[in-house]
Structure formats: C-alpha cells, structure tokens
Amino acid sequence: MRTQVGIVGAGPAGLMLSHLLHRHGISSVVLESRSREYVEHRLRAGVLEQGSVDLLRDTGLGARLDREGMRHEGIELRFDGESHRVPMTELTGRAITVYGQQEVVKDLIAARLDAGGTILFEARADRLSDLDTAPVIHFRHQGRDEELHCDFVVGCDGYHGVSRPTVPDGVLTTYERTYPFAWLGVLAAAPPAVEELIYAHHQRGFALYSMRSPQISRLYLQVPADADIADWPDERIWAELRTRLETVPDWTLNEGPILEKSITPLRSLVVEPMQWQRLYLAGDAVHIVPPTGAKGMNLALADVALLGDAFAAWYADGRTDLLDGYSRTALRRVWRAQQFSWWMTSMLHQLDADDPYAAKLQSATLRYVTTSPAYATSLAENYVGLPEV
Ligand code: RFL
Ligand code: PHB
C-alpha cells in the first residue's frame, strides 16, 4: 500500500489532518488500532475554542456543530460560598462551544469516508522504519501483517502510541509534571442545572459542572491519584458533588442516572522536538495537559492545522520552511497552554491539606481573578484560545 502521508491514529488530530490534506489534494491513509464504534463513542473532551470552531466551519464541518454545539460566553468560578462569572466574550470578543469530542470525531470520519478517504480501523501500527528516506508503517490488519509506504509519517497516536517511542534515545527531551490527584468523571442523564460551566474550588477538592446537551450533564470531582472507581458508588458521587457545588444560596444540582463513570489521572507533559527525520508528531502523542484548562483537543487541532499548511507548501512547490519550522511554531502554543492549564489546576484544586499558606494564596488568586478585569481578561483570553501565540 502506498500514500503520500501515512497517519497513525484516528483521534481528532489524525482525522483532521487527513481532512485538511484532502482539501489540498494530498493523499493520506489513517491507521487506527480501535474499531470505528469504539472511537466514535469514547467519552473525552467537551470544549472547543473559538479557533477550533472556526477551523471546523472553514473546512466544511460546521453544519451539525452549529445546530447542536452550545455557545458559551462566560464561565463561573465558585469558591468561599460565592459565585463569580467571568464574562469571556465581553472581555475578549470570543466564545467557546461545548460539543463533545466524539461528535467532532464522528463528523470527521463521515467527511473522510464521504470524500472517498481511507481510514483503516482495527489496524494497529506495530513499527515504523526507513524514516530517514522512504518511510514504512508496519501494521496488522485483518489477521495479516501489512506495510504502508509513504513520503512522511505523522504520529497522531496519543501518549501510548508507537510513533514517539520510535525516535532513538537521546533525541527527544521530556518535560513533565504529575499531580497527586485525578478526576472522577461522570455522564448523567440529568438536564444541566446551569447554562455555563462551573469550576468550583472547595476545601474537599475541586468539582466541575459541564454538559453535553440539554438532557445530559457531565460532571467531574477531584479524587486522590490512587482512587479506585469501585469505591465510588453513584450515591457517594452525588453526595460529594452536592457538598462541593451546592455552596451558594438557592442552587441545587439536578440528579439523574449515571450513564458512565471513570477516573483519569492528571499530568502535564511536553516532548521536544515534535519532529524527527520524516516523522512528525501531533496532539497527545507529544504533549498532555491536565483537563482543567480544556486545552487537549484544541492543541491537537492546532498542531495539525500547521501541518496541513506545511505539507501543502511542500507538495505545491517544494517549500521546506513550514515543515522545518513546525515543531518550533507548534511549541509556542503548546507551552502557552501548558502554563495556563497548570495555573488553572493549581488555582482550583485542593493541593495539600497540610499547607494553610498555599490555601491562602489560592483564595487570594481566586479573589483577584474575579475582581480585577485585567486578571480576568488573562484567564478569558487563554480559555477561549489566543489567535496568535
Ligand atoms: P487521541 O484522541 O488519543 O487519539 C489517538 C488515537 O490513536 C490510536 N492509536 C493507534 N492507532 C494505530 N496504531 C497504534 N499503535 C495506535 N496507538 C494509538 C488510539 O486508539 C486513538 O484513537 O489523540 P489526539 O488525536 O491527539 O487528541 C487528543 C485529545 O483526545 C485529548 O487531548 C483530549 O481528549 C483531552 N481532553 C480535553 N481536551 C480539550 O480540548 N477540552 C476538554 O474539555 C478536555 N477534556 C480531555 C478532557 C481528556 C480527558 N481524558 C479522558 C484524558 C477530559 C478528559 C476526562
Ligand atoms: C467537559 O465538558 O468534558 C470538560 C469541560 C471543561 C473542562 C474539562 C472537561 O475543563
């Protein structure tokens, strides 16, 4: 099998790249280890920055997003028994859209298949070779060992993928931070009690109120890093959500059957550079942010927007400057998002119960960000996404 750009992974990064390349007349094949059913139903991110929405719309993927996506012009910060709205659109002129990652993935898969694109599901890449000259992706599909020959490989295969570990020791540098807590996330058949997201700081830990539709709520609780989902029956989850969220007068949570629950550890990670020989890396394969800043899917899309233009320039007239500059350019946005996500995480979580000084600093930061328009604008412009970094 042969194509121009071989893509490993059918998450938002790999699928969007394939879509963008197609629009430039460049062929690609996407290899995905999981089934279509699995990737279309994997519950993940929910917040699209303005720039991501623009990218989806500008490339013909706006129809369902415009019908079903929920545009939000503010978020609420809740702490010390008070609620404070950060009016993002008033401060920045931009907004976010709540639209599940699995919906973005469904729209991209449909667009690729409609256009005659090739996505091989249940096709696991095992090994990459000849990356210095004529790359080959060795993969397993329908019980057979296969090879995909290409001009370039783009690794969009997430942190546990095969692409990044292909790079020899000593080439890449890893920058990393782990946190002593995780998020327990639930999807509940309960109409959202609010129209905007609530980020709540509480002595017992952080809680987040989000949603997927007018009928479905998405909620998160900070739990210890080693928490076991078996210790969290539904009633305990609701009780903890009530404690952390029902802290302001006249506000009650809407409860309903829990449809799904899982625990995700929080981490920050960047691997540099994002390229080696003819292998380019994008999305979670090279950087991870804690979800508090809602940046992961947006960064994945921003990476491949750069790669789409860079491959277009290369195939159109042999220009190498955009491909050569890819890692340097992408890392500016990556590190902006790292700092913002770390800052939101540090401001909102229970960090160390034995450190009253840290708790006082958090309160001072929350108070400042909800009273100073300058500081609130900093939060807002990062949250909605900076056009230039
Ligand atoms: P993905 O989506 O993980 O896709 C990688 C794909 O590669 C496949 N794969 C392979 N395929 C073939 N051969 C191999 N050897 C392979 N190895 C792996 C995998 O099956 C998979 O399909 O990476 P991508 O495209 O880089 O996208 C990144 C995003 O998924 C991720 O950053 C976000 O979900 C993070 N995130 C959030 N991001 C936001 O922008 N806003 C949010 O509100 C937000 N909330 C979240 C989140 C992530 C969460 N979890 C579960 C980690 C909330 C949570 C709880
Ligand atoms: C979500 O809706 O899943 C969500 C929203 C905001 C975040 C993280 C996740 O910061």
Side-chain angles (χ1 to χ4, degrees), residues 38-69:
Y38 184 90
V39 298
E40 288 192 341
H41 293 93
R42 185 165 43 191
L43 191 58
R44 289 261 187 104
V47 172
L48 289 171
E49 294 176 350
Q50 178 91 52
S52 301
V53 170
D54 294 345
L55 177 68
L56 290 160
R57 277 197 194 127
D58 293 348
T59 61
L61 294 165
R64 196 162 69 95
L65 170 67
D66 285 336
R67 270 198 320 276
E68 296 176 20

Side-chain angles (χ1 to χ4, degrees), residues 9 12-13 32-33 42 44-46 101 125 157 284 294-298:
E32 166 58 51
S33 56
R42 185 165 43 191
R44 289 261 187 104
Q101 176 169 326
D157 46 353
D284 277 18
K295 288 285 164 259
M297 166 168 54
N298 296 295

Side-chain angles (χ1 to χ4, degrees), residues 1 6-10 29-36 39 42 119-129 136-148 153-154 156-158 160-163 166:
M1 227 178 154
I7 299 173
V8 189
V29 169
V30 182
L31 304 176
E32 166 58 51
S33 56
R34 303 285 192 159
S35 67
R36 178 175 179 181
V39 298
R42 185 165 43 191
I119 307 169
L120 299 184
F121 291 100
E122 297 174 75
R124 193 189 69 236
D126 290 324
R127 189 166 67 84
L128 312 178
S129 69
V136 184
I137 307 176
H138 304 262
F139 67 100
R140 185 130 189 107
H141 186 48
Q142 296 177 335
R144 295 220 307 267
D145 290 323
E146 308 272 7
E147 291 182 356
L148 175 63
V153 177
V154 183
C156 301
D157 46 353
H160 300 288
V162 71
S163 304
T166 299

Side-chain angles (χ1 to χ4, degrees), residues 263-331:
I263 293 182
T264 312
L266 263 62
R267 69 193 302 198
S268 296
L269 176 132
V270 181
V271 178
E272 295 187 12
M274 293 166 62
Q275 179 242 333
W276 180 68
Q277 297 184 344
R278 287 177 165 251
L279 170 66
Y280 292 79
L281 299 165
D284 277 18
V286 265
H287 44 70
I288 294 178
V289 281
T292 330
K295 288 285 164 259
M297 166 168 54
N298 296 295
L299 280 180
L301 295 173
D303 285 350
V304 299
L306 292 175
L307 279 175
D309 289 343
F311 284 125
W314 194 86
Y315 280 105
D317 38 36
R319 263 176 63 193
T320 58
D321 56 325
L322 295 183
L323 278 176
D324 293 345
Y326 164 68
S327 177
R328 194 169 13 90
T329 308
L331 283 166

Side-chain angles (χ1 to χ4, degrees), residues 126-283:
D126 290 324
R127 189 166 67 84
L128 312 178
S129 69
D130 305 281
L131 289 166
D132 53 341
T133 48
V136 184
I137 307 176
H138 304 262
F139 67 100
R140 185 130 189 107
H141 186 48
Q142 296 177 335
R144 295 220 307 267
D145 290 323
E146 308 272 7
E147 291 182 356
L148 175 63
H149 294 253
C150 37
D151 301 332
F152 299 97
V153 177
V154 183
C156 301
D157 46 353
Y159 184 69
H160 300 288
V162 71
S163 304
R164 194 196 59 256
T166 299
V167 180
D169 287 349
V171 174
L172 301 177
T173 306
T174 301
Y175 301 87
E176 197 171 8
R177 179 123 313 172
T178 53
Y179 303 87
F181 39 80
W183 278 18
L184 190 170
V186 303
L187 192 71
V194 281
E195 291 192 347
E196 293 179 341
L197 273 63
I198 303 172
Y199 288 81
H201 171 70
H202 190 278
Q203 225 179 320
R204 292 178 62 87
F206 169 73
L208 170 62
Y209 202 141
S210 180
M211 67 262 330
R212 283 295 177 272
S213 76
Q215 292 80 36
I216 304 283
S217 299
R218 178 84 170 126
L219 302 120
Y220 297 95
L221 282 173
Q222 174 187 353
V223 294
D226 59 358
D228 182 347
I229 197 75
D231 296 330
W232 286 89
D234 295 1
E235 192 34 57
R236 182 178 177 201
I237 294 175
W238 286 118
E240 198 60 39
L241 285 166
R242 282 195 299 270
T243 304
R244 298 186 197 179
L245 285 162
E246 290 183 348
T247 56
V248 296
D250 305 321
W251 195 91
T252 49
L253 203 58
N254 286 343
E255 299 182 20
I258 289 184
L259 308 172
E260 251 187 87
K261 57 181 163 185
S262 63
I263 293 182
T264 312
L266 263 62
R267 69 193 302 198
S268 296
L269 176 132
V270 181
V271 178
E272 295 187 12
M274 293 166 62
Q275 179 242 333
W276 180 68
Q277 297 184 344
R278 287 177 165 251
L279 170 66
Y280 292 79
L281 299 165

